[in-house]
Amino acid sequence: MTVTPEHTNTDGGPTLPRPANETTVPRAAAAHEPPAAPAVAAGTEAPAAPAVAAGTAAPAAPAVAAGTGAPAAGPATVPEVPHPSPADAPVTRGFLARATFLTAGLSFAGALLGLVRDQALARMFGAGSATDAFLVAWTVPEFAATLLIEDGLAIALIPAFALALARRAQGAPGDPVRTLVASTLPRLALAFAGVAALLAAFAPQVVRVLAPGLPDPALAVDCTRLTATCVLTFGLAGYCSAALRAHRRFLAPAAIYVVYNAGIIAVVLTLGARWGVRAAAAGVAIGGCLMVMAQLPVLGRLLRVQPVAEAGGEESGGRRVGVALLAAVLLFALCRQSQVLIERFLGSTLPSGAISHMNYAQKIAQIPMTLSLMLCTVTFPVVARALADGDTERARDRVERDLALVACMVLAGASVVVACAPQIVELLFQRGAFTGEDTASTVRVMRVYAFGLLAHTLVGALIRSYFSAGRVTWYPLGAMAVGLAVTAGVGASAVGPWGVMGIAAANALGITVTAALLLAGMGPRSIPIRTRRVLAELSRPLAAAAVATPAGAWAAGRADTPVPSLLVGGLTIAAVFLLLGRALGDQGCVTALASLRSVSRRLPHGRSR
């Protein structure tokens, strides 16, 4: 739909106009009224909050004279309450779809730029000792992204912001959202800066622990000192992302990896010939700054809006982000990301290039997981807000639908990864210093990694459910520790006879154990989902993937060049997976086919206008 300028704010989301001196009715008082249909800026931000009709509020409210904003009669007035906010509006299915497509589209663009970044590294530096040294330093931004942007800080902050927004909508004195920011952001920023400084100071020791068998540790130390800056920049970027998503603003948070990877590519192409692989580490530092700059203006505009008249009395931000909650979330994310540490520790004992082959394989294999989890990224603030409002049933239904949909998406992607692995790697990386032998090694590892993609996705979806109410629970950390122990034990046993494939198999097995434990622990510790129903739903896309994968591999083998082979294999997998999934009653396939039919019905109408 088209939105006129006076109804659209500067970052793409809807603005709710409010005439001077107009008063509104608190949400709690008008809860019995049917909400107006929300207006949505196409594909960008949250739906507009329902407008309050003049004189139609609770009986105690005085009538309002038309066009004046002043009471028609009587001295009584309605106390001013917060502006209607897009974060308080009912969430429609159309809004979730548009927000998910927007987030997934920009994330896909960021992932493509990430592949371009990896292509630039592969072309300029190959898969040798210099690349291995950079990838050891790359452990820092990998950990920082998981802890501070994706699974850690956001999981702790979004429920806190959701509760603050709920309190503000109920007319709490002061501004709970500003109070929350004032009480958390300065302390967290100081902590991020301190950790970054310590990491840079102790970079030699960090490299020695991460990769004791590295042939050129001095190069890895230089790169680690440059990438250490991302602890501060990623922390600030993650804070902004959590706050914006809680406000149902998804455009700026979804764009951060686009600007991040663009910054790395620009620095590598500009300074790579002069600085070598250190240019990539400098690009990480610059890219982190760009992530903050992409979001800070949008968040600043949201916080500058005065949603309520200054009132006497104590301001309240609702539930604060406690140290125990933050520790539980960050330790889980740290434990999960430690799988990378185990892989690189074991890979450092293998011949040169082993760590690089694992890195390239993971980058490709994890694309389906990353894209499927975009749905959970969009719906997590919705689940947290439902729990803040006390609506457990709505939260449970949303989580169950999310698990079914992300399983369908990631398994379809995993089928393409397994069936078309040679074509994908050859098309993306086989040029320059990246040889055919590197392609063969990467393909073998990538296919093994793909068997853990469903478990990785379920872990990413389930962990949000455990912390969506903003309460402390240590069960996820225990489940992840068990999976990590499996990864370490199996990896140490398998690296000798199987090399990098043994390490990849250990990763898939360990994360599968964690996913099973998290699914079994849902209920009293989290949102009480119906586990048997979820397992039955997961079995349908699994069966579809088991048939679609060999069919896609056969079809891909009919063509001789990578592009036609990949297209034929991918289309075959899509057709077989969707049709078989539809026949089995898979919710994700049914939704996808219904969307395709809806689009096809609109095309003739669109052409006739």
Side-chain angles (χ1 to χ4, degrees):
M1 62 179 290
T2 301
V3 183
T4 57
E6 63 268 20
H7 292 120
T8 306
N9 67 19
T10 52
D11 68 330
T15 296
L16 303 168
R18 189 182 192 199
N21 302 322
E22 182 180 355
T23 57
T24 55
V25 178
R27 185 180 180 90
H32 61 282
E33 297 183 11
V40 182
T44 53
E45 305 294 353
V52 179
T56 60
V64 178
T68 64
T77 58
V78 179
E80 187 178 21
V81 297
H83 281 300
S85 168
D88 303 325
V91 178
T92 65
R93 183 176 299 179
F95 164 69
L96 288 179
R98 283 186 288 269
T100 301
F101 280 122
L102 172 71
T103 304
L106 285 174
S107 298
F108 184 68
L112 285 180
L113 283 176
L115 289 176
V116 174
R117 175 201 67 209
D118 292 339
Q119 286 176 335
L121 291 173
R123 185 181 183 88
M124 296 187 71
F125 311 117
S129 59
T131 309
D132 286 351
F134 167 71
L135 291 176
V136 171
W138 183 257
T139 305
V140 177
E142 279 184 321
F143 266 73
T146 299
L147 291 172
L148 304 177
I149 298 177
E150 297 162 9
D151 292 340
L153 196 63
I155 292 176
L157 285 175
I158 286 179
F161 274 105
L163 182 59
L165 286 164
R167 288 180 57 80
R168 189 170 72 178
Q170 294 162 4
D175 185 355
V177 176
R178 288 187 185 181
T179 302
L180 178 61
V181 172
S183 65
T184 55
L185 182 56
R187 298 175 184 177
L188 288 173
L190 184 61
F192 299 149
V195 173
L198 287 174
L199 190 59
F202 291 96
Q205 291 78 8
V206 171
V207 170
R208 193 176 304 121
V209 171
L210 291 178
L214 201 65
D216 188 4
L219 180 58
V221 169
D222 291 343
C223 292
T224 300
R225 284 180 169 144
L226 288 167
T227 59
T229 58
C230 73
V231 176
L232 175 59
T233 56
F234 281 26
L236 295 176
Y239 191 97
C240 293
S241 295
L244 291 173
R245 285 170 177 156
H247 284 81
R248 300 183 195 166
R249 306 285 176 150
F250 297 99
L251 179 61
I256 58 176
Y257 286 110
V258 174
V259 298
Y260 171 66
N261 285 317
I264 296 177
I265 294 168
V267 176
V268 168
L269 295 180
T270 303
L271 300 176
R274 184 184 307 173
W275 289 5
V277 79
R278 291 177 179 86
V284 171
I286 293 174
C289 296
L290 295 176
M291 294 170 89
V292 180
M293 293 168 60
Q295 300 180 96
L296 203 55
V298 183
L299 181 59
R301 286 193 294 269
L302 284 176
L303 295 179
R304 279 198 301 268
V305 175
Q306 180 62 42
V308 67
E310 293 296 334
E314 180 184 359
E315 293 187 359
S316 173
R319 182 188 298 117
R320 295 182 180 276
V321 183
V323 175
L325 173 62
L326 200 59
V329 174
L330 293 181
L331 285 174
F332 169 84
L334 182 64
C335 192
R336 181 181 181 185
Q337 194 62 22
S338 294
Q339 286 188 313
V340 177
L341 292 182
I342 293 173
E343 292 177 358
R344 291 184 179 164
F345 181 87
L346 296 173
S348 67
T349 64
L350 296 174
S352 178
I355 295 177
S356 298
H357 295 148
M358 288 191 293
N359 173 73
Y360 293 130
Q362 278 187 331
K363 289 293 187 297
I364 300 173
Q366 289 180 356
I367 289 177
M369 176 196 74
T370 303
L371 294 178
S372 62
L373 283 177
M374 290 301 102
L375 175 65
C376 296
T377 299
V378 171
T379 60
F380 180 42
V382 177
V383 174
R385 183 59 184 268
L387 293 177
D389 292 335
D391 194 346
T392 305
E393 184 176 354
R394 179 159 61 97
R396 182 197 66 188
D397 291 343
R398 181 71 260 170
V399 170
E400 289 180 353
R401 286 197 298 270
D402 288 350
L403 291 174
L405 291 172
V406 299
C408 174
M409 294 168 64
V410 75
L411 285 171
S415 296
V416 176
V417 167
V418 173
C420 305
Q423 294 83 4
I424 295 172
V425 178
E426 181 180 351
L427 184 64
L428 293 177
F429 296 121
Q430 190 173 317
R431 58 183 58 85
F434 198 92
T435 65
E437 184 178 350
D438 292 324
T439 295
S441 299
T442 303
V443 165
R444 289 193 294 269
V445 180
M446 190 168 75
R447 282 175 164 162
V448 177
Y449 272 133
F451 286 96
L453 284 180
L454 176 61
H456 276 290
T457 305
L458 291 178
V459 169
L462 291 171
I463 189 59
R464 290 167 168 83
S465 301
Y466 274 93
F467 292 104
S468 55
R471 292 191 295 267
V472 180
T473 173
W474 298 98
Y475 180 82
L477 177 60
M480 192 66 244
V482 172
L484 191 66
V486 171
T487 299
V490 174
S493 302
V495 66
W498 299 102
V500 290
M501 293 182 64
I503 298 174
N507 178 298
L509 181 59
I511 199 64
T512 301
V513 170
T514 297
L517 291 174
L518 288 178
L519 194 58
M522 294 286 286
R525 303 178 184 87
S526 180
I527 298 172
I529 66 170
R530 292 160 287 196
T531 306
R532 291 186 179 181
R533 179 175 177 176
V534 170
L535 290 173
E537 190 65 40
L538 293 179
S539 67
R540 298 184 179 102
L542 271 172
V547 177
T549 301
W554 177 84
R558 302 305 95 192
D560 296 329
T561 55
V563 174
S565 180
L566 182 58
L567 288 175
V568 171
L571 290 174
T572 302
I573 289 171
V576 174
F577 188 93
L578 286 174
L579 293 175
L580 183 57
R582 174 66 179 85
L584 294 173
D586 176 62
Q587 182 177 342
C589 292
V590 170
T591 301
L593 288 173
S595 300
L596 289 175
R597 285 196 298 269
S598 175
V599 170
S600 65
R601 283 197 301 267
R602 293 176 183 177
L603 288 177
H605 173 69
R607 288 194 297 267
S608 64
R609 294 182 62 182

